[in-house]
Amino acid sequence: MLCTRLTNARFLTMDPRHPVAHDLGIWRGRIVGVDDAVTSLPARETVDLGGATVLPGFIDSHVHLAWAGLKAGTPSVAPCERIEDILAVVDAAARRPAPPAPPGAWVDVAGYDQRALGRHLTAAELDRVSHGRKVFLMHDSGHACVVNTAVLDLLPAGTPHEDGFLAESAMTTARRLRLPYSQEELADAIELAARACLDEGITACAEAGIGGGLLGHSPVELGAYQLLRDRGRLPLRVQLMASGDTLRPRAAHADDGFTQALDLGLRTGFGDDWLSLGALKIYTDGGMMARTAALTSPYEGTGDNVGRFQDDPERLTALIVDGHLAGWQLAVHAIGDRAADLALDALERAQKLRPRPDARHRIEHAGLIRPDQLPRFAALGVSAVVQPNFLRYFGDDYATVMGQERAGWMYRGRGFLDHGVALVGSSDRPVTDGAPLRAIQFMVERASVSGRLVGPDEAVTVDEALRAYTVAGAHACRWENAAGALAPGMRADLVVLGDDPHRVDPSRIGDIEIVRTFVDGRDARAEA
């Protein structure tokens, strides 16, 4: 007997052996079969889906759940259009709560983006509205912040800043001045963001860096996810990437190949179907929004600015090689083409030292990839984990600062696929909208919200875009035997859509309704 039979639907299985089905059977959270294999079997529950289109649950392969949840409860200055409006928000935030916080307490404000302002705010401007508190104004990219003088005074001598503007490692230094968030605070934030994912049809995600780096919130951050798991409050499946700076020198046996490791030698693969340890996240450069992604040629209109690396290139290379030798899957953040050169060189060196054909290393973002770099991705078997919604929402700006020749190299689609490189979809939530269907629409149209075409030659088909958020996402997270397709033995994780993305005009894909989201064979949104 089946637990559940879903019927009267168009199941787009992403399984080439049975691409389309009308019935699907579920037993104890797993798919047991489709169509004739289950149609005549008795079931405890039969759910008529009214002719809806059903896909495997979307996989978002690069998110920041804790940051997204915390940001949702933080005062925001977005949209940043006038300096005086930003300062008014900071002023109001610094006066909270009632009664006022003690002098010297921190105040967080989100949503900062300098691009419409033409310049960055300054520490002196924040001083005027800080009311004796330490102000931390977070850039929307996650790669920079602006702080007031009270924070600057606490930074180690020599910390680079531009009148209160801190980028990359300098921002990390400022974040480390603060006490970590509690596990209870983080658990609440993670749950909030995870439920927003369910509303968009996402059933599994990869959390891109915990415990350290630019966006770590606590040295014991993994415990917040375990709290949710233990209490039955983790709404979807999460794979955690450990930040590269959480590795420490370990005196392991020489034959193990370790030079650095997590405590107890934990690495990629530890955990279960709901919560597991994934790749080691290593930052090499910054971001386009903050103009810190490392390029080989300058940003247009910015003088000689070519971005920056997060650390000395040799130290970054050594960390990548050490992670590979210790058996990790690596997720290397590289947005600019100069950063991609570093990442590819380091991965090539690592594979020569210790060949691992199925290491499944990933380059996160791959925001600007030159034509000559595409064959190197393929030769190394590296996945490109892209964020199409970056260009949907920021494409006009990014195309301008890259210039005409390089605009077509950004967040590629067709170029990767034609070279045999796995194209993996993700959001980098909360940097921008996390909805997979809107990202899929961009991948097909290559049009920003203004209608500007950004790299139209990089457009892919609807089916190829859907694979980026299902089959390819599962493979990148090493879940291919359990997720990404609706086939016998797979997890019963699926999304019910109000229309078929293949059958609507591409301009309407992002507006298709998410009707239901099933995780483990249960309607997860109805149970929330």
Side-chain angles (χ1 to χ4, degrees):
M1 175 180 285
L2 302 174
C3 291
T4 305
R5 181 171 53 246
L6 304 180
T7 189
N8 188 20
R10 177 177 166 81
F11 294 94
L12 306 180
T13 68
M14 310 306 288
D15 177 2
R17 297 167 299 180
H18 199 131
V20 181
H22 53 78
D23 279 9
L24 182 143
I26 299 169
W27 174 252
R28 294 185 176 178
R30 294 276 173 165
I31 297 169
V32 296
V34 296
D35 289 350
D36 293 345
V38 299
T39 299
S40 61
L41 294 178
R44 294 176 184 172
E45 177 187 30
T46 298
V47 179
D48 187 324
L49 293 176
T53 295
V54 183
L55 283 162
F58 295 130
I59 297 169
D60 190 334
S61 299
H62 184 120
V63 302
H64 300 281
L65 294 180
W67 177 24
L70 291 168
K71 182 179 179 181
T74 301
S76 176
V77 298
C80 297
E81 296 177 348
R82 300 194 314 159
I83 287 173
E84 54 266 38
D85 292 339
I86 295 173
L87 294 176
V89 173
V90 175
D91 179 79
R95 294 176 184 272
R96 297 193 315 170
W106 289 83
V107 57
D108 288 301
V109 183
Y112 175 63
D113 183 349
Q114 86 289 351
R115 291 175 297 172
L117 304 175
R119 68 171 178 85
H120 284 293
L121 268 73
T122 67
E125 287 169 328
L126 292 180
D127 289 344
R128 296 202 303 267
V129 293
S130 61
H131 301 282
R133 298 179 68 180
K134 302 181 185 75
V135 177
F136 189 98
L137 180 58
M138 183 72 163
H139 197 278
D140 255 351
S141 67
H143 286 268
C145 64
V146 182
V147 300
N148 64 344
T149 302
V151 177
L152 293 178
D153 288 345
L154 298 175
L155 294 174
T159 302
H161 72 90
E162 301 169 18
D163 202 6
F165 174 71
L166 304 169
E168 310 305 343
S169 58
M171 182 191 76
T172 301
T173 301
R175 285 171 60 87
R176 287 175 177 165
L177 294 172
R178 310 184 56 180
L179 291 173
Y181 289 92
S182 73
Q183 290 191 356
E184 291 286 354
E185 287 177 287
L186 292 176
D188 290 343
I190 292 162
E191 183 179 18
L192 178 66
R195 294 203 178 281
C197 289
L198 285 180
D199 289 342
E200 294 167 350
I202 298 165
T203 57
C205 66
E207 170 70 46
I210 64 167
L214 284 174
L215 296 169
H217 297 91
S218 166
V220 291
E221 195 166 350
L222 189 150
Y225 291 86
Q226 287 186 288
L227 280 181
L228 290 173
R229 179 79 173 97
D230 293 345
R231 296 171 181 175
R233 289 171 49 200
L234 190 62
L236 44 67
R237 305 180 197 277
V238 181
Q239 187 179 87
L240 302 171
M241 300 184 199
S243 180
D245 59 358
T246 60
L247 296 191
R248 296 289 181 268
R250 298 294 177 212
H253 192 284
D255 290 346
D256 292 339
F258 289 18
T259 54
Q260 298 187 75
L262 291 186
D263 288 342
L264 303 179
L266 292 174
R267 60 174 174 82
T268 303
F270 184 81
D272 62 19
D273 278 355
W274 280 89
L275 184 63
S276 60
L277 193 58
L280 183 70
K281 173 72 178 294
I282 298 174
Y283 290 92
T284 66
D285 70 341
M288 287 189 188
M289 192 189 306
R291 311 303 195 235
T292 53
L295 310 178
T296 52
S297 300
Y299 292 88
E300 295 282 337
T302 64
D304 59 356
N305 177 27
V306 292
R308 66 189 77 175
F309 288 123
Q310 292 284 350
D311 198 349
D312 176 79
E314 281 304 313
R315 281 196 290 269
L316 291 172
T317 297
L319 181 57
I320 291 169
V321 171
D322 286 351
H324 173 88
L325 294 178
W328 285 91
Q329 178 188 20
L330 301 177
V332 184
H333 168 115
I335 292 184
D337 60 331
R338 185 158 57 105
D341 280 334
L342 184 152
L344 293 168
D345 288 347
L347 292 171
E348 186 174 58
R349 182 187 301 182
Q351 288 283 18
K352 285 180 179 177
L353 289 172
R354 184 179 182 184
R356 291 174 52 206
D358 195 35
R360 298 201 203 176
H361 297 322
R362 312 157 35 143
I363 290 187
E364 308 298 299
H365 308 297
L368 186 75
I369 301 300
R370 302 186 310 270
D372 64 285
Q373 292 173 318
L374 293 170
R376 297 194 66 196
F377 270 75
L380 287 166
V382 175
S383 298
V385 184
V386 300
Q387 296 76 41
N389 272 341
F390 279 12
L391 293 188
R392 176 176 169 83
Y393 293 98
F394 309 139
D396 293 5
D397 172 62
Y398 287 8
T400 299
V401 296
M402 288 300 109
Q404 184 174 356
E405 179 184 19
R406 292 184 294 179
W409 302 348
M410 294 192 298
Y411 296 94
R412 289 176 178 269
R414 176 56 51 204
F416 285 127
L417 292 177
D418 284 353
H419 283 79
V421 178
L423 177 65
V424 183
S426 69
S427 69
D428 205 17
R429 171 193 311 267
V431 176
T432 190
D433 187 328
L437 285 175
R438 293 195 183 98
I440 288 164
Q441 177 179 321
F442 176 83
M443 295 173 80
V444 175
E445 290 189 311
R446 298 291 297 193
S448 72
V449 290
S450 74
R452 178 175 180 171
L453 295 181
V454 185
D457 291 343
E458 291 296 320
V460 301
T461 68
V462 171
D463 196 58
E464 289 167 335
L466 290 172
R467 289 181 66 84
Y469 281 89
T470 54
V471 176
H475 187 267
C477 295
R478 310 185 77 89
W479 286 330
E480 71 275 12
N481 293 322
L486 303 179
M490 296 291 198
R491 301 169 186 158
D493 297 350
L494 45 92
V495 56
V496 181
L497 305 181
D499 216 328
D500 184 343
H502 298 87
R503 296 182 174 183
V504 302
D505 187 274
S507 64
R508 290 185 49 223
I509 292 174
D511 296 323
I512 293 174
E513 180 187 4
I514 304 295
V515 179
R516 303 171 80 165
T517 304
F518 286 80
V519 181
D520 245 8
R522 301 187 304 272
D523 189 337
R525 294 164 69 196
E527 295 180 358

